[in-house]
Amino acid sequence: MNHRTALAAALLVLASPMAAQAQDGRATPAHAADGHQHAAFASDRLHVCVDGPEGAPDLILIPGLSSSPAIWQGTVDHLAGRYRVHRIHVQGFAGAPAQGNATGPVAAPVAEEIARYIREQGLNKPAVVGHSMGGTMGMMLAARHPDLVGKLMVVDMIPFMGAMFGPPGTTAESVAPVADQVHAAQATAPRDQYLAQAKASVTGMINTEAARAGPLRDVETSDQQVSAAAFRELIATDLRPELSKITAPVEVLYVKFNDARMTDALTDTVYRMSFSTLPGARLKRIDDSAHFIMLDQPTAFHGALDAFLSAK
């Protein structure tokens, strides 16, 4: 089986259950934020939690759909003041008022605001790490503002999630009706049904039982409309044609897809083909982990992050 045939087979395996799950109204789980210090940056799309000494190298951490900056707390603790860490909190997620994200797309406008943040705060080519939807925003940022990003790490995200919601050859245009259908199902689901299904999905996204409490809180405190709109945008956005514009070093950490029919080899093929328009990207699979790698395998994640940040 050649790579393209393997990719087609893998996507056919994944497409049906993923689309069905999304249409059931499940939202990606997250981790709740507690007290933190905000950067002096006015935006109706995001706010920024800052940790670490001034003058240290800058690192931007972007959480995923419905997630809060607290998913990165272990990473902040691990870095122990070696970096000036800027954690993005998207408005509408994890207790933050929806504000400018109340209608329309979320990821692309937030990526533009992160670019403005980098410029206005005078950050010098910060390293950027994004998990899931945060990885999508990281790719948008690095491709559309290549002069602003020093390094990019994408954590468990491909550049076109819509490929998993249609047959081989699916495009952003052809999957748009599916994205609309998924959005309508999530946006109109009764709140109790939406939350029950979202919480059920945590089990498949975090293997470590003790780490699930925070993500469950964040699902409860995220704006259902913002999360539904953001998920629609993820399905309908194909960043593969833009990847060649990225000039920063890129590393992609990923896990085997959570489907019994998927193998390590098929997962590897999906990621290789997904990032084929960025041949310099380094791809690294993290085993024995679900979607939230930083929670399930913190030692492996922090080791990979340290190596990535220190590489010349």
Side-chain angles (χ1 to χ4, degrees):
M1 182 181 292
N2 63 37
H3 285 171
R4 291 189 180 277
T5 303
L7 176 62
L11 293 181
L12 282 172
V13 165
L14 289 168
S16 177
M18 285 194 67
Q21 180 186 60
Q23 289 174 7
D24 280 346
R26 296 183 182 181
T28 301
H31 202 127
D34 298 311
H36 48 247
Q37 197 164 4
H38 292 172
F41 180 72
S43 173
D44 65 352
R45 295 282 186 175
L46 59 85
H47 58 277
V48 186
C49 318
V50 182
D51 301 273
E54 292 187 18
D58 291 300
L59 170 64
I60 294 176
L61 301 178
I62 313 173
L65 183 71
S66 303
S67 284
S68 85
I71 68 160
W72 301 113
Q73 188 59 53
T75 301
V76 172
D77 295 341
H78 168 76
L79 294 173
R82 289 179 283 145
Y83 289 83
R84 181 79 163 166
V85 181
H86 309 257
R87 289 185 284 173
I88 304 301
H89 193 156
V90 177
Q91 297 302 136
F93 293 167
Q99 296 184 351
N101 294 328
T103 59
V106 179
V110 169
E112 290 303 307
E113 282 294 85
I114 297 173
R116 183 169 70 87
Y117 177 80
I118 292 171
R119 290 194 184 98
E120 293 188 5
Q121 298 293 309
L123 307 189
N124 181 25
K125 285 186 170 290
V128 176
V129 179
H131 173 244
S132 194
M133 176 181 165
T136 296
M137 290 188 279
M139 287 184 272
M140 289 174 170
L141 177 65
R144 297 169 187 178
H145 303 277
D147 58 314
L148 297 182
V149 177
K151 296 181 177 184
L152 173 65
M153 175 178 276
V154 176
V155 183
D156 211 39
M157 190 61 176
I158 57 176
F160 181 36
M161 199 173 73
M164 295 181 179
F165 289 80
T170 293
T171 65
E173 292 75 18
S174 68
V175 83
V178 176
D180 291 340
Q181 183 180 5
V182 171
H183 172 259
Q186 291 194 341
T188 61
R191 184 65 177 171
D192 57 348
Q193 176 187 323
Y194 176 87
L195 288 177
Q197 292 169 338
K199 290 178 180 181
S201 73
V202 170
T203 300
M205 292 181 180
I206 304 172
N207 289 340
T208 308
E209 186 175 356
R212 293 175 186 156
L216 286 170
R217 279 199 307 274
D218 273 10
V219 170
E220 291 179 349
T221 57
S222 288
D223 186 294
Q224 182 173 336
Q225 301 306 314
V226 176
S227 293
F231 195 52
R232 186 218 172 274
E233 183 184 6
L234 291 178
I235 297 171
T237 298
D238 186 358
L239 295 177
R240 292 174 299 181
E242 297 186 55
L243 294 183
S244 61
K245 299 176 183 177
I246 297 176
T247 58
V250 176
E251 181 161 334
V252 182
L253 302 183
Y254 63 96
V255 301
K256 185 179 82 66
F257 290 111
N258 186 20
D259 188 298
R261 295 165 292 179
M262 289 295 290
T263 64
D264 291 347
L266 279 176
T267 300
D268 293 345
T269 298
V270 169
Y271 271 85
R272 276 198 303 272
M273 295 303 298
S274 295
F275 284 92
S276 63
T277 54
L278 187 61
R282 183 173 185 269
L283 308 179
K284 180 179 177 61
R285 191 182 71 246
I286 304 294
D287 294 328
D288 300 317
S289 178
H291 184 52
F292 283 71
I293 300 173
M294 72 291 290
L295 301 182
D296 276 336
Q297 289 291 345
T299 300
F301 176 75
H302 295 148
L305 178 63
D306 286 345
F308 174 70
L309 293 175
S310 62
K312 301 298 183 185

